[in-house]
């Protein structure tokens, strides 16, 4: 299987996408990485990359294709905007040239800020006809509003629409926290997407036997009253450094408290100036360090600091450092809300304060100076077990393989060639394979799933299955033989009294009609069709495509049992309420043209949309990857 990873950041930059690329190649995947030139976080090209850029064309067995981008430089708003924008345009333009002869089964997007990187992925998913997986690590545009980076409501609205479009354009969304799943579902409502929980894992910090690299500790380590507070990671608006500074300012005369900040970011220079202006002598900046050096700082720390500003999106974030902190067996001080707070409190690995409660943090640290037992951790084993259960790297990466395999299953077209082969012994949903179905599938409105079966309902079925005889919907209704298992039939949608009597006489079963008003499928389901069906129920849906397929999927997701026939207007034709189709139209599979005489405006619009979408699928060779099963 061939995977294209699209990420603005990649090795030698330190991100977990490096682990994913390495793991995929070890599992036998052919992996290519489309990325920018390494300049995070300092904002300038890595020196070793400039001296020997050929060395960075491979990461293990993964091939790396680097596109030119505007460097972050001092990470001000203008440079960051150009940095983000340049990757989108450069990724599409140069990426198309670099990868023009490549084919892929999956495209995996590492969607840390900014999520606009996914625009490149969407482009290549169309060109390469590949399934797309989006790993969301930051919630855009929510955090931009929460951090006051964007204040213009119109601009925020435009960005929100763009992000929703990005979400809906992917086959699978992986969310780094459970809160993210809920927020994304709200954002895309009433549309639905396949969203799964996919958290980060602890970074591997290797031990180093070298002497301490924290000079400020060397002369004081013998004094056990010293409290060494270490923060690692990005120093930006999201990390709540304004309130961290307030704590440090209140404690600047506490000689036993030392602060060490490891990392860089947009806020770094501002905080440095504030520390200098307040003459805070116990606050140290170490800048960017290699991952191999981080463990020494952790070993020397008494407290590991984690902090995020307030906001729904920010509170829902599990900072990647948290899992690594938990693995360090050190006390965690959190100025944080949401899921991260819950994890710290559940594991009893530290204490959390409201992000703006700097006074609470000050009082706590003053108490710690007099009683260091307050930060003693003695439940290492339970924390380790929690990490292994919830953030085990091997298990999480195994799940990624499961997701890939499931996406591969979603390409399986299962066609029933004979009505007698409908699988009444298990859950199923049966729809007609016709132009409308194919068109709305290409628009990502209809999705294939493991228990979805099709019957040849028009000339477009022959596009996928040669020498297959058409089964008109009315023939399906007339000739289907229901097993004794089926005791009751629910008809969802249009059903006149005449057609109801026809079905009762034909099937000798009790018919329950659920009449639906005009409206959105989501609302119709919630208000009328939220039923736990039994194994002896048959559900016939008489709505037009794609509404009937959407209703079928909602029933599938809600009810443990489901046996569904999506037949559209076939019941009215079978009962004789709708005039018989002329033989000419029937023989040549042109039934859809004949039916334009009724409900003309809607049917013409649907025909235009379906056919246009079908042609787009042909252009991008979307149908070549279908796995076709004839039953």
């Amino acid at each position: 299987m061939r995977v294209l990873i699209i990420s603005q950041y990649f090795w030698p930059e330190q991100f977990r996408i490096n682990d994913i690329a390495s793991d995929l190649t070890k599992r036998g995947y052919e992996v290519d990485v489309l990325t920018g030139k390494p300049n995070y976080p300092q904002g300038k090209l890595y020196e070793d990359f400039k001296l020997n850029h050929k060395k960075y064309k491979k990461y293990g067995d993964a091939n790396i294709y680097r596109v030119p981008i505007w460097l972050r430089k001092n990470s001000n708003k203008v440079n960051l905007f150009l940095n983000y924008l340049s990757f989108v345009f450069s990724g599409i333009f140069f990426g198309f040239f670099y990868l023009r002869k490549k084919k892929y089964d999956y495209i995996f997007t590492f969607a840390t800020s900014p999520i606009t990187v996914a625009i490149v992925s969407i482009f290549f998913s169309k060109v390469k006809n590949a399934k797309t997986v989006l790993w969301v690590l930051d919630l855009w545009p929510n955090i931009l509003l929460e951090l006051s980076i964007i204040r213009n409501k119109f601009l925020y609205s435009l960005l929100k629409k763009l992000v929703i479009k990005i979400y809906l354009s992917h086959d699978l969304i992986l969310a780094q926290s459970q809160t993210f799943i809920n927020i994304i579902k709200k954002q895309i409502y009433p549309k639905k997407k396949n969203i799964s929980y996919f958290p980060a894992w602890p970074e591997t910090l290797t031990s180093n036997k070298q002497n301490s690299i924290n000079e400020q500790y060397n002369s004081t380590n013998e004094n056990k009253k010293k409290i060494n507070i270490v923060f690692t990671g990005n120093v930006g608006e999201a990390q709540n450094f304004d309130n961290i500074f307030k704590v440090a300012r209140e404690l600047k005369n506490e000689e036993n408290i030392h602060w060490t900040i490891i990392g860089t970011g947009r806020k770094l220079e501002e905080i440095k100036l504030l520390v200098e202006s307040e003459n805070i002598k116990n606050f140290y900046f170490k800048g960017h360090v290699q991952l191999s050096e981080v463990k020494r700082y952790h070993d020397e720390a008494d407290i590991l600091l984690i902090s995020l500003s307030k906001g729904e999106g920010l509170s829902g974030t599990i900072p990647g450092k948290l899992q690594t902190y938990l693995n360090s067996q050190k006390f965690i001080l959190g100025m944080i809300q949401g899921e991260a707070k819950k994890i710290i409190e559940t594991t009893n690995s530290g204490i959390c304060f409201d992000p703006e409660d700097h006074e609470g943090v000050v009082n706590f640290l003053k108490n710690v100076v007099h009683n260091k037992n307050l930060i003693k951790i003695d439940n290492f084993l339970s924390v380790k077990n929690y990490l292994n259960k919830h953030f085990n790297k091997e298990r999480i990466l195994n799940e990624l393989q499961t997701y890939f395999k499931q996406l591969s299953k979603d390409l399986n077209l299962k066609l029933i060639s004979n009505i007698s082969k409908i699988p009444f012994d298990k859950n199923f949903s049966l729809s007609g394979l016709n132009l409308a179905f194919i068109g709305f599938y290409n628009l990502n409105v209809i999705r294939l799933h493991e228990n979805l079966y099709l019957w040849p309902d028009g000339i477009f079925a022959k596009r996928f299955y040669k020498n297959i005889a058409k089964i008109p919907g009315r023939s399906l209704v007339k000739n289907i033989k229901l097993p004794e298992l089926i005791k009751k039939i629910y008809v969802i949608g249009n059903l006149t009294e005449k057609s109801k009597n026809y079905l009762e006489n034909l099937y000798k079963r009790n018919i329950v009609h659920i009449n639906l008003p005009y409206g959105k499928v989501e609302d119709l389901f919630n208000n009328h069709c939220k039923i736990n069906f039994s194994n002896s129920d048959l559900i016939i849906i008489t709505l037009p495509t794609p509404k009937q397929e959407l209703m079928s999927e909602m029933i599938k997701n809600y009810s443990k049992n489901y046996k569904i026939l999506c037949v559209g207007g076939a019941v009215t034709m079978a009962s004789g309420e709708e005039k018989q189709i002329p033989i000419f139209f029937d023989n040549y599979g042109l039934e859809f043209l004949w039916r334009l005489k009724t409900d003309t405006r809607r049917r013409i619009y649907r025909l235009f949309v379906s056919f246009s979408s079908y042609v787009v699928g042909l252009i991008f060779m979307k149908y070549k990857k279908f796995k076709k099963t004839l039953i």
Side-chain angles (χ1 to χ4, degrees):
M1 303 298 275
R2 297 153 298 188
V3 179
L4 172 63
I5 292 175
I6 296 181
S7 171
Q8 186 159 345
Y9 315 104
F10 193 73
W11 174 81
E13 296 162 316
Q14 298 169 11
F15 289 90
R16 285 175 177 82
I17 190 62
N18 304 343
D19 293 342
I20 289 178
S22 178
D23 182 76
L24 288 175
T25 56
K26 289 176 182 177
R27 293 172 188 261
Y29 287 81
E30 297 175 28
V31 178
D32 290 339
V33 181
L34 183 67
T35 188
K37 296 187 176 180
N39 69 111
Y40 180 91
Q42 298 97 327
K44 56 184 179 180
L45 286 179
Y46 285 31
E47 287 300 324
D48 192 50
F49 177 81
K50 288 194 292 186
L51 294 172
N52 187 11
H53 64 89
K54 290 183 179 180
K55 171 184 172 183
Y56 295 94
K57 287 188 175 182
K58 296 273 287 186
Y59 182 66
D61 290 328
N63 303 305
I64 305 174
Y65 297 88
R66 299 188 185 273
V67 299
I69 57 174
W70 184 275
L71 302 184
R72 298 170 67 93
K73 299 182 180 178
N74 62 357
S75 295
N76 64 27
K77 289 184 179 180
V78 174
N79 282 321
L80 280 182
F81 174 76
L82 292 173
N83 175 256
Y84 298 161
L85 192 65
S86 65
F87 181 77
V88 174
F89 285 102
S90 190
I92 292 173
F93 180 78
F94 288 98
F96 180 77
F97 175 75
Y98 294 156
L99 306 174
R100 64 192 183 278
K101 295 182 180 180
K102 296 277 190 169
K103 294 181 180 180
Y104 300 103
D105 300 292
Y106 310 105
I107 295 175
F108 186 93
T109 308
F110 183 65
T112 186
S113 289
I115 198 173
T116 47
V117 63
I119 296 173
V120 183
S121 304
I122 294 169
F123 171 79
F124 280 104
S125 73
K126 304 300 182 186
V127 173
K128 303 297 182 181
N129 188 23
K131 289 286 187 178
T132 53
V133 180
L134 178 71
W135 189 17
V136 180
L137 293 122
D138 289 314
L139 277 179
W140 271 49
N142 310 56
I143 60 172
L144 300 181
L145 189 66
E146 293 168 4
L147 296 172
S148 298
I149 295 173
I150 288 180
R151 292 184 174 91
N152 186 288
K153 291 184 179 180
F154 177 71
L155 180 57
Y156 176 76
S157 177
L158 286 179
L159 279 174
K160 188 174 182 179
K161 289 178 180 178
L162 173 63
V163 172
I164 290 172
K165 179 66 177 175
I166 287 172
Y167 288 151
L168 294 176
S169 298
H170 283 77
D171 296 293
L172 172 64
I173 299 171
L174 301 179
Q176 64 110 295
S177 74
Q178 295 290 351
T179 303
F180 274 26
I181 294 177
N182 297 329
I183 293 175
I184 293 171
K185 283 182 177 179
K186 288 179 183 177
Q187 283 184 319
I188 65 176
Y189 180 84
K191 298 290 181 65
K192 285 193 172 184
K193 291 301 293 184
N194 189 6
I195 309 175
S196 296
Y197 175 55
F198 191 78
W201 49 89
E203 293 170 298
T204 302
L205 303 181
T206 55
S207 180
N208 197 312
K209 299 297 184 181
Q210 294 182 25
N211 294 329
S212 170
I213 54 175
N214 279 322
E215 295 87 352
Q216 72 268 19
Y217 299 160
N218 289 345
S219 62
T220 59
N221 276 344
E222 293 179 1
N223 188 341
K224 294 185 179 180
K225 288 186 177 181
K226 293 292 182 182
I227 308 298
N228 301 321
I229 304 171
V230 173
F231 173 93
T232 62
N234 186 46
V235 183
E237 288 89 347
Q239 283 69 40
N240 194 28
F241 264 85
D242 288 336
N243 282 298
I244 292 174
F245 167 74
K246 290 177 183 178
V247 176
R249 183 175 58 191
E250 291 288 324
L251 297 173
K252 69 178 183 179
N253 295 321
E254 284 284 353
E255 295 181 356
N256 289 327
I257 292 180
H258 285 208
W259 304 80
T260 302
I261 308 301
I262 302 166
T264 63
R266 290 181 58 193
K267 200 82 173 173
L268 182 63
E269 293 306 317
E270 178 186 336
I271 297 299
K272 279 184 175 181
L273 289 174
L274 288 172
V275 168
E276 185 179 350
S277 67
E278 292 289 339
N279 196 31
I280 302 175
K281 300 295 186 181
N282 59 348
F283 207 92
Y284 306 91
F285 298 94
K286 291 298 179 180
H288 175 70
V289 304
Q290 294 299 316
L291 192 62
S292 58
E293 298 177 18
V294 172
K295 189 174 190 310
R296 283 182 278 170
Y297 286 101
H298 281 198
D299 289 343
E300 292 172 344
D302 297 293
I303 295 174
L304 294 175
L305 175 63
I306 188 168
S307 182
L308 280 180
S309 299
K310 273 192 169 182
E312 182 186 27
L314 289 164
S315 296
T317 304
I318 304 175
K321 66 170 69 68
L322 177 57
Q323 290 90 327
T324 307
Y325 278 11
L326 288 169
N327 207 31
S328 71
Q329 301 182 356
K330 292 297 176 83
F331 187 89
I332 300 172
L333 172 59
M335 297 178 71
I336 200 163
Q337 296 175 318
E339 287 201 42
K341 175 184 178 182
K342 183 179 178 181
I343 291 169
I344 293 169
E345 292 179 344
T346 299
T347 56
N348 197 25
S349 56
I351 190 170
C352 291
F353 294 87
D354 184 273
E356 296 178 356
D357 185 15
H358 59 276
E359 288 295 338
V361 179
V362 168
N363 292 331
F364 172 74
L365 290 175
K366 285 181 177 179
N367 290 333
V368 171
V369 169
H370 296 98
N371 182 10
K372 210 169 180 180
N373 285 329
L374 291 174
I375 57 172
K376 184 179 179 181
I377 297 291
D378 54 11
N379 62 332
F380 299 143
L381 184 58
S382 63
V383 174
K384 203 79 173 176
N385 290 338
Y386 183 91
L387 271 174
N388 190 53
K389 181 178 179 181
H390 296 278
F391 301 113
N392 180 275
K393 179 180 177 180
E394 184 177 358
R395 179 185 59 79
I396 292 170
L397 294 176
N398 282 340
E399 287 178 357
L400 183 59
Q401 316 312 309
T402 303
Y403 295 140
F404 281 161
K405 289 176 183 177
Q406 185 58 50
L407 288 175
S408 179
K409 285 183 180 179
D410 290 346
L411 290 169
N412 193 4
L413 282 181
K414 291 182 281 192
L415 191 79
I416 289 176
S417 59
N418 191 297
I419 296 173
S420 63
K421 295 182 178 179
I422 296 175
F424 283 103
D425 58 332
K426 65 176 186 176
N427 288 335
F428 72 88
S429 180
L430 181 66
S431 288
L433 180 56
N434 51 33
L435 175 61
F437 185 94
I438 299 167
F440 285 102
Y441 166 79
N442 284 339
L443 290 170
N444 294 320
V445 177
I446 294 175
R447 292 185 294 184
L448 304 181
H449 59 84
E450 190 173 1
N451 291 330
L452 176 64
Y453 297 82
L454 304 168
W455 88 82
D457 186 35
I459 58 173
F460 284 88
K462 293 182 180 293
R463 166 66 179 77
F464 306 100
Y465 297 87
K466 306 297 182 184
N467 303 318
I468 194 75
K470 176 191 173 183
I471 303 175
R474 63 184 181 278
S475 297
L476 178 78
V477 172
K478 286 180 179 179
N479 299 315
I480 194 169
K481 302 297 182 186
L482 299 184
E484 292 185 6
L485 168 69
I486 302 300
K487 305 298 182 184
K488 184 189 294 185
I489 300 175
Y490 287 84
V491 178
I492 298 175
N494 300 324
L495 186 70
T496 65
E497 195 63 29
K498 179 179 178 181
S499 292
K500 182 179 180 181
N501 292 333
Y502 170 79
L503 293 179
E504 286 176 336
N505 292 328
L506 178 66
Y507 297 137
K508 311 300 182 188
R509 305 293 201 282
N510 179 36
I511 305 294
V512 178
H513 178 211
I514 301 176
N515 193 25
L516 300 178
Y518 180 80
K520 295 180 179 178
V521 179
E522 179 94 19
D523 296 333
L524 296 178
F525 171 75
N526 288 328
N527 295 330
H528 303 278
C529 306
K530 226 170 186 179
I531 302 169
N532 282 309
F533 295 98
S534 76
N535 192 45
S536 61
D537 294 333
L538 175 65
I539 306 157
I540 298 177
I541 304 179
T542 62
L543 300 172
T545 297
K547 276 191 171 183
Q548 61 180 357
E549 282 77 18
L550 291 174
M551 180 65 74
S552 170
E553 184 172 6
M554 290 176 190
I555 293 172
K556 172 186 78 74
N557 292 336
Y558 182 79
S559 179
K560 180 181 178 181
N561 300 292
Y562 59 91
K563 294 175 174 60
I564 306 171
L565 302 178
C566 297
V567 299
V571 173
T572 59
M573 286 188 283
S575 68
E577 278 198 86
E578 189 173 318
K579 188 177 178 181
Q580 184 75 26
I581 297 173
I583 296 175
F584 171 80
F585 286 90
D586 199 22
N587 288 344
Y588 287 93
L590 301 176
E591 176 185 319
F592 64 95
L593 291 177
W594 169 255
R595 301 197 71 196
L596 292 177
K597 67 186 180 66
T598 59
D599 200 3
T600 305
R601 185 175 178 179
R602 180 187 65 81
R603 291 182 187 277
I604 288 177
Y605 173 76
R606 189 179 71 163
L607 178 61
F608 172 76
V609 172
S610 300
F611 187 73
S612 300
S613 177
Y614 171 75
V615 171
V616 170
L618 283 177
I619 293 171
F620 289 107
M621 298 178 288
K622 192 166 185 177
Y623 313 122
K624 284 192 173 182
K625 291 196 175 182
F626 276 141
K627 298 173 183 176
K628 292 168 282 188
T629 303
L630 188 61
I631 298 172

